[in-house]
Amino acid sequence: MSASSTHAASSTGTARHRAVIIGGGFAGLAAARVLDGPDVDVVLIDRRNHHLFQPLLYQVATGGLSPANIAAPLRRLLRRQRRTRVLLGDVVDIDVAAKQVVLKDGASVPYDDLIVATGAVDTYFGHDDWRAHAPSLKTLEDARRIRHRVLGAFEAAERVDDPAQRQALLTFVVVGGGPTGVELAGAIAEVAYRTLRGEFRALDTGAAKVILLEGADRVLGAFSPRLSTKAADGLRKLGVDVRTDAMVEMIDEGGLVVRETADGDGETLRIGTHNVFWAAGVRASSLGRRLAASIDDLALDHGGRVPVTPHCTVAGHDDLYVIGDLARFEDDAGAILPGLAPVAMQQGRYVAKRIRARLRGREIAGFTYLDKGNMATVGRTMAVAELGQLRFSGLIAWLAWLFIHLLYLAAFENRVLVMIQWGWNYVTRGRSARLISGTNPAERLPADGEAAPS
Amino acid sequence: MSASSTHAASSTGTARHRAVIIGGGFAGLAAARVLDGPDVDVVLIDRRNHHLFQPLLYQVATGGLSPANIAAPLRRLLRRQRRTRVLLGDVVDIDVAAKQVVLKDGASVPYDDLIVATGAVDTYFGHDDWRAHAPSLKTLEDARRIRHRVLGAFEAAERVDDPAQRQALLTFVVVGGGPTGVELAGAIAEVAYRTLRGEFRALDTGAAKVILLEGADRVLGAFSPRLSTKAADGLRKLGVDVRTDAMVEMIDEGGLVVRETADGDGETLRIGTHNVFWAAGVRASSLGRRLAASIDDLALDHGGRVPVTPHCTVAGHDDLYVIGDLARFEDDAGAILPGLAPVAMQQGRYVAKRIRARLRGREIAGFTYLDKGNMATVGRTMAVAELGQLRFSGLIAWLAWLFIHLLYLAAFENRVLVMIQWGWNYVTRGRSARLISGTNPAERLPADGEAAPS
């Protein structure tokens, strides 16, 4: 094939080492930054032209921020690294034997070292038919879709007279009590009870219901029980109906069925709603399966993650790194590192350092994760945080959360804008990025719906 | 039909006068604002949930601003007007005899006074097959589509080796030399020659061509010839190839054919490009045709506009107002008012005043347009402006343009943000809202395209 041969030739022609990174998320971007230098050519491949600050997606989904506030073009972020190249492409396979990456259009990119950092995608645990009724929140498109659903539901409810149908439009259910679910439920409650208050005429937005469903016995299971309680209390204060021990059994167009498992098998309950959002699970990206198919003895774990050595490599392949949410890294204590941005960034920096060390003939010690803590927000001015031995909640935790997130966004040039946007929203209780575009949400109404201005 | 009868009943039950406005653009929003008061119920119907500041769409199309910077939720803008109701709906017909508006879902909204302000849409002058190859710029979706096309073309060009194909990807043609075309061409030149400079590795963005085609003998035909020359000079300084007397004969996937008519019939010229943008024509919205179908003796003009009386009403229907781009208003001198935002806003305020006057048994004089001038920008710091007898260009005109636009945006709460975003872009020559989402632009490559990192 002409593509492959061209690259083989040019690869032979140059003496420089080439590191290829798949994925421009937290892990891949951190690796690219540290790899910058005279001795390595870097190629960063991503399907998107932008790096996305996923922890703030829920703000886009609820109209608090614009997509561009939390995403930055990869080319811009890396433009000063003259030996780094950004390639917009869809990787479909990795040919470990030939040491090249295969793109969807058939082109191939050869590598000396490969860093796979394609992250995680949502999973519906085998119930893929739920996806159409319960969108998840992993990409900017997802966030835009949820924003249209939330705002469109109020628009549709304003025009409906049937009480049951109106209540279904005004019922919002978030499935999954992890940080994403908690933050999304809190933000939807604020939209309903504060932002939109007074903007409708036929409708009292206070009649909206926001329900958070969690299968385990507490929200934010990765935090200490005390902070879980604080978070649940904070959500309830915002008006969220927090239901733990609640397993989703079925989702369809008209609502969902929940089994309350606190006392044994429990009762099933049907909730009528047109607005179910899925924050219940992620699994590793499908590129892990492609790797497993081409490497003998590589077995993925139940979440689809690739087991890696202490050097973040695939065993037996010292030039093949897997990092971030796609990797299953077992620390010294035998614990699996969680799928968090700090883990991904630290691994990205680590593998970049190792590649550079090995080019100089040296080896470095295995990766160790420095846990700087864990935090989540609950609404406008409340957060919970665990920083080492420190556990705190409330306004102080929220300010810490704000500070750390803005610090990271500093890498983007729009930090200042985000801060101002938030400051503005905070003072006005407004959310200015409340656009509904594309199809008309009012068309979700039944065909015989009434306009009903009275 | 239950919907109609419900409304007839509730309409009878209330003594207050009801004004219905179709369209939340410049004209409709201005009318709604002035109609606010204790004596009138106002219903504003729009297909979108937001008012759009169309003059800045080209900034969204080129990544300088986010959609939310130039659009504001109608409900938010009107939330303090307790007697004003916003209805998200698609008007498909107007029943003048029954005095009601019919929505797509079959519901009907009765009115005492009706204000039709649905504006204009793009037109391809009978060549609707050109639409797929040459998107226009009227809505936020259009702007997002153009942004994806422009940015995606550079991404695709970075991965193509064939010189002809690469040049076609790097050739941008804007059809139409009115304000929108001039502003869009200038902004694309800035993206190519400034914003993206240094971000690609295989590609010299300076190799991009930006061509502006205008059928008449000068751009900005609504301005004085001297300012047309200034604008064309400004565009050329930015690197735009300005071609007047150039008629488009054909557009297809691979490019377009232009006839240069300066010397008689002229030569035809084929330009290979994957990026044609249409700013060549608008026509009145289709609701004018529905009106003409239900009113005897109502004949639309060639642009689909509804002729109106000096009171902005349809002759013989004192309760039926047509304003903004949909109206054909002939002033005392026999000139037809142009489709500009100031005309629309002044007409909106006028008809609102007339409706309120007539409720008190008074009549007011016919509408007169106060021409405050006309302006257009050409790139970062250059504009042309005609304010009464005053004609100026350059930085002063640009500052005037900026001031007036920000003044209008003051009605939106995000004026401050827009100003900061612009200040930032200005200092950094950056454009932060450069997101490509949805389908992968790299997939516009030929199937056998090469990745070609070298």
Side-chain angles (χ1 to χ4, degrees), chain A residues 75 85 105 141 155 159 447, chain B residues 75 105 155 159 437 447 453:
Chain A
R75 292 192 189 287
R85 186 152 176 214
D105 57 18
E141 290 79 48
E155 296 294 343
R159 296 190 44 204
Chain B
R75 292 194 188 285
D105 59 17
E155 296 292 343
R159 295 192 42 204
S437 53

Side-chain angles (χ1 to χ4, degrees), chain B residues 211 213 241 243 246-250 255-260 266-272:
Chain B
I211 303 169
L213 301 177
D241 180 3
R243 300 187 176 210
M247 300 295 297
V248 172
E249 301 228 309
M250 193 271 293
L256 75 175
V257 173
V258 180
R259 181 177 293 277
E260 316 236 81
E267 305 265 301
T268 59
L269 170 76
R270 182 170 173 90
I271 304 174

Side-chain angles (χ1 to χ4, degrees), chain A residues 311-356:
Chain A
H311 289 117
C312 296
T313 58
V314 174
H317 296 266
D318 237 0
D319 55 1
L320 177 55
Y321 298 85
V322 179
I323 56 177
D325 288 3
L326 179 59
R328 177 193 171 90
F329 187 99
E330 197 175 320
D331 70 11
D332 291 342
I336 307 300
L337 294 185
L340 295 172
V343 175
M345 285 189 282
Q346 291 180 32
Q347 287 181 336
R349 289 192 286 265
Y350 168 81
V351 298
K353 276 182 206 149
R354 181 169 189 256
I355 288 169
R356 302 189 68 169

Side-chain angles (χ1 to χ4, degrees), chain A residues 100-373:
Chain A
Q100 61 184 18
V101 163
V102 182
L103 303 188
K104 197 176 181 180
D105 57 18
S108 56
V109 183
Y111 64 80
D112 295 311
D113 278 307
L114 178 64
I115 302 170
V116 187
T118 46
V121 296
D122 52 40
T123 178
Y124 290 76
F125 305 117
H127 298 283
D128 279 343
D129 53 313
W130 294 357
R131 186 182 299 270
H133 313 300
S136 69
L137 185 56
K138 287 292 285 181
T139 67
L140 282 178
E141 290 79 48
D142 292 339
R144 224 179 255 137
R145 197 173 308 129
I146 291 180
R147 190 178 73 200
H148 292 178
R149 279 243 188 162
V150 171
L151 299 174
F154 286 98
E155 296 294 343
E158 170 85 347
R159 296 190 44 204
V160 159
D161 282 333
D162 176 62
Q165 206 190 356
R166 175 177 283 201
Q167 194 55 56
L169 284 165
L170 290 180
T171 299
F172 301 88
V173 179
V174 178
V175 183
T180 300
V182 165
E183 288 168 333
L184 184 61
I188 293 174
E190 289 192 335
V191 167
Y193 305 135
R194 295 183 198 273
T195 313
L196 296 182
R197 190 164 56 184
E199 292 193 8
F200 290 83
R201 297 296 174 258
L203 186 71
D204 172 16
T205 61
K209 274 193 208 165
V210 184
I211 302 170
L212 178 65
L213 301 177
E214 165 58 43
D217 63 350
R218 61 189 178 98
V219 299
L220 298 181
F223 289 73
S224 71
R226 197 171 64 89
L227 288 183
S228 293
T229 307
K230 291 257 187 200
D233 289 348
L235 285 171
R236 290 197 178 101
K237 212 176 281 176
L238 286 173
V240 178
D241 180 2
V242 181
R243 298 187 178 209
T244 51
D245 294 308
M247 299 296 296
V248 172
E249 300 228 309
M250 193 272 292
I251 307 178
D252 63 18
E253 210 191 325
L256 76 175
V257 174
V258 180
R259 181 178 294 275
E260 317 235 81
T261 59
D263 317 303
D265 260 5
E267 305 264 302
T268 61
L269 170 76
R270 181 169 175 92
I271 304 174
T273 170
H274 296 310
N275 316 289
V276 184
F277 306 117
W278 188 257
V282 294
R283 61 173 287 123
S285 98
S286 60
L287 218 50
R289 289 203 298 277
R290 306 299 311 171
L291 270 182
S294 68
I295 297 178
D296 292 339
D297 303 327
L298 180 61
L300 307 180
D301 77 356
H302 69 281
R305 290 178 296 185
V306 178
V308 293
T309 68
H311 289 117
C312 296
T313 58
V314 174
H317 296 266
D318 237 0
D319 55 1
L320 177 55
Y321 298 85
V322 179
I323 56 177
D325 288 3
L326 179 59
R328 177 193 171 90
F329 187 99
E330 197 175 320
D331 70 11
D332 291 342
I336 307 300
L337 294 185
L340 295 172
V343 175
M345 285 189 282
Q346 291 180 32
Q347 287 181 336
R349 289 192 286 265
Y350 168 81
V351 298
K353 276 182 206 149
R354 181 169 189 256
I355 288 169
R356 302 189 68 169
R358 281 165 57 86
L359 278 176
R360 275 174 256 116
R362 294 203 305 268
E363 180 58 279
I364 63 173
F367 171 73
T368 50
Y369 171 52
L370 177 60
D371 184 358
K372 293 177 186 164

Side-chain angles (χ1 to χ4, degrees), chain B residues 178-304:
Chain B
T180 300
V182 165
E183 289 168 332
L184 184 60
I188 292 174
E190 289 193 334
V191 167
Y193 305 136
R194 295 181 198 274
T195 313
L196 296 182
R197 190 163 56 183
E199 292 194 7
F200 290 83
R201 297 295 173 259
L203 186 72
D204 172 17
T205 62
K209 275 192 206 164
V210 183
I211 303 169
L212 177 66
L213 301 177
E214 165 59 43
D217 64 349
R218 60 188 178 98
V219 299
L220 298 181
F223 289 74
S224 71
R226 196 172 65 88
L227 288 183
S228 293
T229 307
K230 291 257 187 201
D233 289 348
L235 284 172
R236 291 197 179 100
K237 210 176 284 176
L238 287 174
V240 178
D241 180 3
V242 181
R243 300 187 176 210
T244 50
D245 295 309
M247 300 295 297
V248 172
E249 301 228 309
M250 193 271 293
I251 307 178
D252 63 18
E253 208 190 327
L256 75 175
V257 173
V258 180
R259 181 177 293 277
E260 316 236 81
T261 58
D263 317 305
D265 260 6
E267 305 265 301
T268 59
L269 170 76
R270 182 170 173 90
I271 304 174
T273 170
H274 295 311
N275 317 289
V276 185
F277 306 117
W278 188 258
V282 293
R283 65 172 284 121
S285 99
S286 60
L287 218 51
R289 289 203 297 277
R290 305 300 312 172
L291 270 181
S294 69
I295 298 177
D296 293 339
D297 304 326
L298 178 61
L300 306 180
D301 76 356
H302 69 282

Side-chain angles (χ1 to χ4, degrees), chain B residues 341-355:
Chain B
V343 175
M345 285 189 282
Q346 290 178 32
Q347 286 181 336
R349 288 191 285 264
Y350 169 81
V351 299
K353 277 182 205 146
R354 181 168 191 259
I355 287 170

